[in-house]
Amino acid sequence: MSEHAESEIVLVNFSGTDRPGITASLMGILAGYDVRVLDIGQAMIQDTLALGILIKLPDAARSAPVLKDLLFEAHKLDLRVRFTPVSGEEYERWVVGEPRQRYVLTLLGRRVTALQIARIAGVVTAHGLNIEDIVRLSGRSALHDDDRGSRACLELTLRGEPADADAMKAEFLSISEEMDVDISFQEDNFYRRNRRLVVFDMDSTLIREEVIDELAWEAGAGEAVSRVTAAAMRGEIDFSESLRQRVALLEGLEESVLERVAERLTLTEGAERLLKTLRTLGYRTAVISGGFDYFGRRLQRRLRLDYVHANRLEIVDGRLTGRVLGEIVDGERKAALLREIAAEEGIELAQVIAVGDGANDLPMLRVAGLGIAFHAKPLVQKSARQAISTIGLDGVLYLMGMKDAENPH
């Protein structure tokens, strides 16, 4: 122990089987010697504990009894212990280095594998970032889980500045496509932990279907409308013009058909859980859709949404006229409406999350502090800052940093 007696600063690492009272016992010993705790960290995997404590001793001459008592207590608790002396110069370098920029990388999918982590860690290291912490946000995985309903998520805290952020994002996107995993990279700042408004697209985001396609099949124009819808969502046709073309094909459709279509619409996987959680936490929620307000209002009642903005179909004598009333909710209008809602609620744009799947959602995804492309077309995935393509809509909670264990729903 004499080699440690000369050092006032010591890093003490404990590892072994966890049990109640370990931290209290070890801290009780340190308290008896008036030891200052400079840093402390603990991690648990199954029942295995890893605990590190960086301590400053009040008097170097007293270090030997402190460390002896810690060693004896560790033996009683069946823990392995390692003491590492830290010089004052090393500690000062560590303190000065701490303010470096911090980022959060979220890895999510149906399952997480060692190969995925290895590839991602390699990219992180190559771009000059250091992994500081790894936390599992998802619940514990069953040994024989069902890929269709399972989800797994790890959150990595990173320090440093990426050498080339665009190149790094391109590499992450390549890994995502190759390995069926989503990778989110965000700056870890005040706003990330203080979002207050979540805005959703409706069709193919909150609900599985594209409503205009469903109406078109009822009108006997299904194939023609589906082709135009797909092209519009890929960004190949101006959205407003494509909407006029498609709605014109609905002329003469009976108003009663709207009810029939509404009854068969289905929520996206995870949508109900996500909205219940947001409501419990006091978030404001909105739908801003290039679809139709008739269906948006139905969804508002079901999910208790605060705002709905969508296009309004003109109906005369119980039939659709093939026209849309008022200003069309296209991409630019979506972004403007998001700004209006945030201003009305007194919420910074940095505190807004926007989620959508189509090219017409990109303007609002770019305006929001956190813009998420959800099961989106390739153009949208590449253009959006974040994407979820492997799991349900409640994956948004992971990008907010929420653990399954913390979620009452």
Side-chain angles (χ1 to χ4, degrees):
M1 292 283 177
S2 60
E3 62 181 291
H4 304 300
E6 298 175 1
S7 176
E8 288 190 334
I9 303 173
V10 181
L11 175 61
V12 190
N13 293 102
F14 301 92
S15 60
T17 302
D18 186 41
R19 68 187 70 182
I22 286 178
T23 303
S25 297
L26 297 174
M27 287 298 162
I29 291 170
L30 296 178
Y33 288 96
D34 196 24
V35 167
R36 179 181 170 189
V37 175
L38 299 174
D39 198 11
I40 184 169
Q42 179 174 309
M44 284 282 300
I45 297 180
Q46 270 196 321
D47 295 326
T48 301
L49 165 77
L51 171 64
I53 312 173
L54 186 64
I55 59 176
K56 183 180 185 301
L57 303 164
D59 183 344
R62 295 171 59 190
S63 65
V66 175
L67 302 185
K68 284 179 180 176
D69 286 356
L70 283 175
L71 186 63
F72 180 70
E73 188 67 16
H75 177 72
K76 283 172 45 180
L77 295 169
D78 197 24
L79 296 174
R80 293 176 293 280
V81 61
R82 185 177 74 244
F83 301 104
T84 305
V86 177
S87 69
E89 292 79 8
E90 288 177 297
Y91 179 76
E92 290 302 328
R93 283 197 299 270
W94 177 73
V95 170
V96 171
E98 189 171 15
R100 290 185 302 162
Q101 181 62 56
R102 189 161 75 171
Y103 294 91
V104 169
L105 186 150
T106 312
L107 165 65
L108 60 161
R110 295 298 180 186
R111 293 182 180 182
V112 171
T113 69
L115 182 57
Q116 292 166 350
I117 298 171
R119 290 282 299 278
I120 291 166
V123 172
V124 165
T125 301
H127 284 272
L129 296 166
N130 184 57
I131 299 174
E132 191 173 77
D133 195 15
I134 301 177
V135 177
R136 174 173 52 82
L137 299 185
S138 53
R140 296 172 179 173
S141 299
L143 190 59
H144 303 290
D145 53 4
D146 180 355
D147 277 357
R148 291 173 298 176
S150 64
R151 55 179 181 260
C153 179
L154 298 178
E155 183 179 273
L156 285 67
T157 302
L158 312 175
R159 287 276 188 186
E161 283 290 348
D164 186 335
D166 290 337
M168 184 175 68
K169 180 182 176 181
E171 290 179 57
F172 285 151
L173 185 60
S174 177
I175 294 171
S176 295
E177 293 171 348
E178 178 187 342
M179 309 192 75
D180 195 28
V181 65
D182 293 319
I183 304 167
S184 164
F185 182 78
Q186 305 176 59
E187 183 178 340
D188 188 22
N189 56 26
F190 168 80
Y191 292 111
R192 177 179 175 267
R193 296 179 294 277
N194 290 278
R195 311 291 188 191
R196 293 177 56 198
L197 168 66
V198 186
V199 176
F200 300 93
D201 176 43
M202 182 171 64
D203 298 27
S204 298
T205 300
L206 269 181
I207 58 174
R208 297 177 187 273
E209 297 81 8
E210 288 286 337
V211 170
I212 196 164
D213 291 352
E214 297 297 313
L215 293 173
W217 287 111
E218 295 284 349
E223 291 185 7
V225 168
S226 290
R227 284 195 297 270
V228 179
T229 299
M233 292 300 100
R234 292 193 299 266
E236 298 170 2
I237 304 175
D238 173 73
F239 179 82
S240 295
E241 180 55 35
S242 74
L243 184 67
R244 292 188 186 95
Q245 290 179 23
R246 290 175 288 168
V247 172
L249 294 170
L250 304 180
E251 183 180 359
L253 192 66
E254 291 184 0
E255 183 179 6
S256 60
V257 172
L258 302 183
E259 175 70 19
R260 187 160 69 241
V261 169
E263 289 295 330
R264 66 173 183 252
L265 298 179
T266 55
L267 292 175
T268 302
E269 177 195 349
E272 199 152 20
R273 177 174 180 262
L274 171 59
L275 267 297
K276 284 182 179 178
T277 302
L278 294 176
R279 193 164 58 245
T280 299
L281 295 175
Y283 282 74
R284 305 295 280 173
T285 55
V287 159
I288 302 178
S289 172
F292 306 116
D293 65 349
Y294 177 91
F295 304 94
R297 299 297 173 194
R298 295 272 301 233
L299 203 58
Q300 182 178 31
R301 291 191 292 271
R302 179 174 179 179
L303 298 175
R304 294 165 61 185
L305 300 161
D306 297 299
Y307 296 88
V308 169
H309 292 280
N311 295 302
R312 186 178 177 192
L313 293 165
E314 184 180 58
I315 301 172
V316 176
D317 296 331
R319 292 183 180 273
L320 275 63
T321 66
R323 292 187 293 272
V324 176
L325 296 173
E327 184 178 357
I328 287 178
V329 181
D330 61 6
E332 294 308 316
R333 181 63 179 149
K334 284 190 170 192
L337 286 166
L338 182 150
R339 290 179 186 274
E340 288 178 17
I341 295 171
E344 183 177 337
E345 293 285 344
I347 294 172
E348 300 269 353
L349 290 175
Q351 295 175 282
V352 179
I353 299 172
V355 188
D357 73 298
N360 63 320
D361 294 311
L362 281 173
M364 75 172 185
L365 299 188
R366 289 167 181 154
V367 166
L370 176 60
I372 304 169
F374 179 71
H375 288 258
K377 286 67 181 174
L379 169 68
V380 183
Q381 278 197 48
K382 290 178 181 177
S383 301
R385 283 168 291 175
Q386 314 297 340
I388 295 176
S389 299
T390 59
I391 62 175
L393 198 60
D394 52 349
V396 171
L397 297 170
Y398 294 140
L399 300 194
M400 296 164 62
M402 184 177 295
K403 296 181 179 181
D404 283 349
E406 300 168 339
N407 192 339
H409 302 292

